Amino acid sequence: MTDAALDDIRVLDLSGEIGVYATKLLADLGADVIRIEPPDGDPMRMIGPFFGEQASPDRSLYFWNLNTNKRSITLDIAKPEGREAFEKLVKTADVVVETFEPGYMDSLGLGYGRLSTLKPGIIVTSVTGFGQDGPHAHYKWSDIVGVAMSGMMTLAGDKEDPPNRPYGNQGYIGAGIQAAAGTLMAIVHRDNTGEGQHVDVSMQEALSINQETAMQTYDMTKAIRTRTGARGALPIDIPGIGVYQCTDGQVFAYLGTPGGAPWTVMLDWMTREGKAEDLNDEPYREFIGNLNLGFLTGLVREPEKLPERLKIMAHLYEVFAKFCASKSKWDLYQEGQQQRLMFGIVSTPEDLVKNPQLKHREWLQKVEHDHISTTVTYAGPPYRLSETPWAIRNRPPLPGEHTVEVLGEAGYSTQQVDDLRAKGAV
């Protein structure tokens, strides 16, 4: 098999939900990621849904999704024997990723200062809600706290809605992506200088970039942007921009925008199918000829013309919505794209499985789960490396599956591992 990008890197993974995606990204790039689980069980293993609807630590789809290519050991680093074993593992490692409350690792004698004396060049990545210092450093966090405190929730949803939490643990995923990026930069620095460092990731800071221009808008105008849904920055229904219902789902349309065909191409399509109604008559035809983002943003410059223009836009929106409702989402997407009209399917999981582009690129990955005698389909690579490819090489580990193997690599005999187990350290 071709060498992986990080096949010479070992990572000790002490992360909880907020950091586990970071270590998955590293593992899928070839790093030897050793997931260190508490002897009484990793709480993530009991988060559903479960394969076969059987709640069991070895059947959590949530855990599987975030732990491909990792090895698992059980180790209680709060016990003296566990700390000693962890220190031995650190001497074999390049990176430690942890998500404890700031100061906890120091209280165990396992903070960055101590670990860097054991292994000069070690990189410790800490992922928390608010970072390692400051007045909120010890505040409790969860995914929804992160997306709320970052400013994302105030922008998510429609104007009439309360602030929305984006689906899934987007806070944890976003923090994990930035943690992986910071860790990779620290590895490059270590390789060039021999110097390790402490990578401090705040979920609040990592997610604040998702506000896009909301911060600059406030900085320049003191205006606070709020939810506009699919409408974007203009708080009106814009014909050809937004989510539209089809016969079998929805599409997102982004017509009259840079990079795509003008709105007149859409009108010609509607006309060919006899569904343009009166849009080829004035004032609609002339309006459509001018319909683009620049024209829309300039509407407010002539307030005396705004009421009439809004009436025209409302009618155009209604006719276009009826056209979309008469079509399947795939027809709109494929025919629209052939005409350089920007349509995108609002994809369901089924759509992704059937998507011809993803099929061509063999994005979905089949992974053998020998412990339950079945093959499971996983989401594929988030990027493609031509020389050191991303790959799922191994299924997620069973609890403590590699304890004897990994501790053996650190110098422990099987008997010594059994002794640690008897003391509750593994």
Side-chain angles (χ1 to χ4, degrees), residues 403-420:
T403 301
V404 173
E405 176 181 289
V406 170
L407 291 181
E409 294 166 3
Y412 283 85
S413 67
T414 302
Q415 181 58 54
Q416 288 173 316
V417 175
D418 288 340
D419 292 341
L420 290 174

Side-chain angles (χ1 to χ4, degrees), residues 166-225:
Y167 174 79
N169 290 329
Q170 298 302 317
Y172 292 159
I173 295 296
I177 291 171
Q178 300 302 335
T183 301
L184 291 172
M185 287 185 279
I187 290 172
V188 171
H189 178 75
R190 191 279 312 272
D191 288 349
N192 288 333
T193 68
E195 182 181 43
Q197 58 187 302
H198 189 192
V199 180
D200 175 10
V201 179
S202 154
M203 176 166 55
Q204 182 182 32
E205 294 172 355
L207 298 182
S208 289
I209 191 66
N210 293 348
Q211 295 182 83
E212 297 179 345
T213 58
M215 285 292 294
Q216 292 92 329
T217 299
Y218 178 76
D219 182 46
M220 294 177 183
T221 69
K222 296 301 181 271
I224 296 176
R225 286 180 54 186

Side-chain angles (χ1 to χ4, degrees), residues 105-117:
M105 291 290 282
D106 284 315
S107 74
L108 298 180
L110 297 174
Y112 173 68
R114 167 63 177 161
L115 299 186
S116 63
T117 63

Side-chain angles (χ1 to χ4, degrees), residues 23 29 92 159 162 168 170 222 382 404:
T23 53
L29 285 172
T92 73
K159 185 177 180 66
Q170 298 302 317
K222 296 301 181 271
V404 173

Side-chain angles (χ1 to χ4, degrees), residues 145-297:
V145 169
V147 294
M149 293 294 291
S150 70
M152 284 178 62
M153 280 182 63
T154 194
L155 299 171
D158 289 316
K159 185 177 180 66
E160 58 271 17
D161 292 341
N164 279 265
R165 178 194 178 199
Y167 174 79
N169 290 329
Q170 298 302 317
Y172 292 159
I173 295 296
I177 291 171
Q178 300 302 335
T183 301
L184 291 172
M185 287 185 279
I187 290 172
V188 171
H189 178 75
R190 191 279 312 272
D191 288 349
N192 288 333
T193 68
E195 182 181 43
Q197 58 187 302
H198 189 192
V199 180
D200 175 10
V201 179
S202 154
M203 176 166 55
Q204 182 182 32
E205 294 172 355
L207 298 182
S208 289
I209 191 66
N210 293 348
Q211 295 182 83
E212 297 179 345
T213 58
M215 285 292 294
Q216 292 92 329
T217 299
Y218 178 76
D219 182 46
M220 294 177 183
T221 69
K222 296 301 181 271
I224 296 176
R225 286 180 54 186
T226 56
R227 295 166 297 289
T228 56
R231 295 167 174 169
L234 293 174
I236 54 177
D237 289 323
I238 301 171
I241 296 180
V243 176
Y244 290 84
Q245 188 67 40
C246 307
T247 59
D248 57 352
Q250 298 86 28
V251 293
F252 185 87
Y254 203 51
L255 307 185
T257 54
W263 231 105
T264 50
V265 174
M266 185 70 239
L267 177 59
D268 290 344
W269 180 12
M270 295 167 70
T271 302
R272 287 195 302 272
E273 299 205 6
K275 297 177 180 177
E277 299 188 14
D278 57 355
L279 298 186
N280 283 296
D281 301 335
E282 299 301 346
Y284 306 115
R285 180 80 193 192
E286 180 182 1
F287 188 90
I288 288 171
N290 295 319
L291 190 53
N292 56 54
L293 278 183
F295 174 72
L296 290 169
T297 54

